[in-house]
Amino acid sequence: MVALAVLGGSAALYPMLSDASSSRQQTPAFLEAEQQRHAAAHEERFHTHHPGSITLAQVIEIQRQRRALKPAEAAAGAVSQVPGWEAQLGAFGSAQAAQRQQARLPALSLPVAVHRDGALFRLKSAAAADPGAAQAFCAAAVAAGFDCFVRRTG
């Protein structure tokens, strides 16, 4: 009798579960949102940070951006970074934007180059020994319609 009660009690549960799962009831909205959140977390964890998940178009774009940086980095080495005073004419999110601004500059008293500084590309003049030369450079740049400020290097 005890066995029948146990069997009968558990047998009573199974029809409820099978009825609920076999009926085509709508999933509650909060469960559906949780499933979508879980799927998004799974996608983030397993697919976006692995080299195998990058597309060929993304590889080509990364290579194109790296090639575009090489001239800017070479030009940055051309302007020596000695202690002194320099003028900064802007900070840009890409090397191309900094180079476009550099191309618009008129001929000024100090050479200008693009320097990479973390995620930014700064358009700066060569260092001058005295602040007066850097300030005169900035005054000429401002007169030509560019933003400029002087800062100490090194």
Side-chain angles (χ1 to χ4, degrees):
M1 178 135 163
V2 172
L4 187 57
V6 171
L7 182 59
S10 64
L13 283 178
Y14 289 119
M16 280 194 311
L17 292 175
S18 63
D19 287 344
S21 62
S22 66
S23 69
R24 297 180 190 261
Q25 296 175 356
Q26 293 293 325
T27 307
F30 71 92
L31 287 177
E32 192 171 312
E34 180 64 23
Q35 288 171 347
Q36 289 174 352
R37 187 195 62 75
H38 178 71
H42 176 34
E43 181 72 21
E44 171 72 20
R45 181 171 180 211
F46 292 106
H47 298 288
T48 57
H49 300 296
H50 297 286
S53 68
I54 192 167
T55 66
L56 181 59
Q58 291 169 326
V59 170
I60 292 169
E61 178 62 21
I62 290 168
Q63 290 175 343
R64 188 186 66 73
Q65 289 174 354
R66 286 184 181 164
R67 279 193 301 271
L69 291 178
K70 287 184 181 180
E73 290 171 350
V79 176
S80 64
Q81 289 298 311
V82 295
W85 298 88
E86 67 184 5
Q88 181 173 317
L89 298 150
F92 304 90
S94 70
Q96 294 85 5
Q99 289 168 345
R100 281 193 303 270
Q101 183 76 344
Q102 183 180 13
R104 292 182 42 227
L105 282 171
L108 298 171
S109 59
L110 295 172
V112 177
V114 177
H115 296 270
R116 186 173 188 173
D117 184 15
L120 293 176
F121 296 87
R122 299 182 189 278
L123 185 58
K124 300 190 295 188
S125 72
D130 66 284
Q135 297 218 351
F137 174 88
C138 253
V142 168
F146 294 90
D147 291 331
C148 185
F149 69 91
V150 175
R151 64 183 221 151
R152 186 159 182 83
T153 64

